[in-house]
Amino acid sequence: MTDIDGLIAGVVAREGGYVDHPADRGGPTRFGITEAVARAGGYAKAIRQLPRSVAEDIYQTRYWKGPGIDRVARRAPMLAAELFDGGVNMGPRIPIGFLQRALNALNRGAADYPEVARDGRIGDATLTALDAYLVRRGRDGEAVLVKAIEALRGERYITLAERRPANEAFLYGWLAHRVGVRA
């Protein structure tokens, strides 16, 4: 089982306290939480004052339980850690879509399990495909799936920097601290 408290502590450590980078379209953050996400979670004060406990609750509800990554963790804890971190950094639907894309590419032409919709949501079909994949591929299967998602994350970060030069300010950090990082 994945230690969500450890994952959250890792994210908070990487994100730091209050940050207001001029190139960040998301605006100021505290512990990696944007003002918009804090407001959606019911926090009404200045983002600079966001308590760590509120940030931890937001990570738990919006990025772990809400998208269903906790359900993945019961099957594949390393994969859940990758999905959680990716979700924090780019929104949960994107790394979940990467998982669905990888599962479809690894199903040997649907011989192992049916294709899953690339809808960015963890539902029964995605979990059934994940279970079948893990049975088929055994112990090493989870690590291979994580590598596939890491590759897709890295490609996305480079594309973001190519499309918006201001994102080059973040690219090195994304690649150094977001791809292949576990709690």
Side-chain angles (χ1 to χ4, degrees):
M1 188 59 125
T2 304
D3 172 22
I4 183 56
D5 293 330
L7 293 176
I8 291 171
V11 166
V12 168
R14 284 189 297 281
E15 293 291 343
Y18 179 78
V19 177
D20 188 7
H21 194 289
D24 189 344
R25 286 183 172 170
T29 64
R30 180 147 164 92
F31 306 118
I33 302 293
T34 65
E35 187 173 36
V37 168
R39 298 280 179 265
Y43 182 75
K45 295 181 183 175
I47 192 69
R48 187 184 292 273
Q49 299 170 344
L50 181 77
R52 182 178 173 141
S53 62
V54 172
E56 291 169 347
D57 288 344
I58 290 170
Y59 282 129
Q60 180 84 233
T61 58
R62 185 178 179 120
Y63 298 98
W64 185 251
K65 291 181 182 172
I69 294 172
D70 59 324
R71 296 171 71 193
V72 173
R74 294 181 207 126
R75 298 157 164 82
M78 290 185 313
L79 175 61
E82 183 71 25
L83 295 174
F84 172 74
D85 188 74
V88 164
N89 191 243
M90 55 182 72
R93 293 179 76 93
I94 293 171
I96 292 168
F98 291 163
L99 168 63
Q100 292 165 331
R101 184 175 169 195
L103 285 169
N104 288 343
L106 291 164
N107 72 0
R108 297 180 325 120
D112 294 338
Y113 48 87
E115 297 276 317
V116 295
R118 288 176 43 193
D119 60 8
R121 293 181 295 164
I122 295 173
D124 292 338
T126 298
L127 292 173
T128 299
L130 177 59
D131 289 341
Y133 169 82
L134 293 171
V135 167
R136 170 80 176 142
R137 294 299 178 179
R139 290 179 47 141
D140 295 332
E142 181 180 9
V144 169
L145 201 50
V146 168
K147 285 180 184 182
I149 293 168
E150 289 171 350
L152 292 167
R153 283 181 73 181
E155 191 281 330
R156 178 174 171 80
Y157 293 137
I158 290 171
T159 299
L160 289 172
E162 289 172 338
R163 289 184 183 160
R164 183 175 177 258
N167 284 335
E168 289 181 10
F170 308 113
L171 182 59
Y172 182 87
W174 286 337
L175 295 172
H177 304 292
R178 301 319 288 229
V179 177
V181 176
R182 310 282 180 274

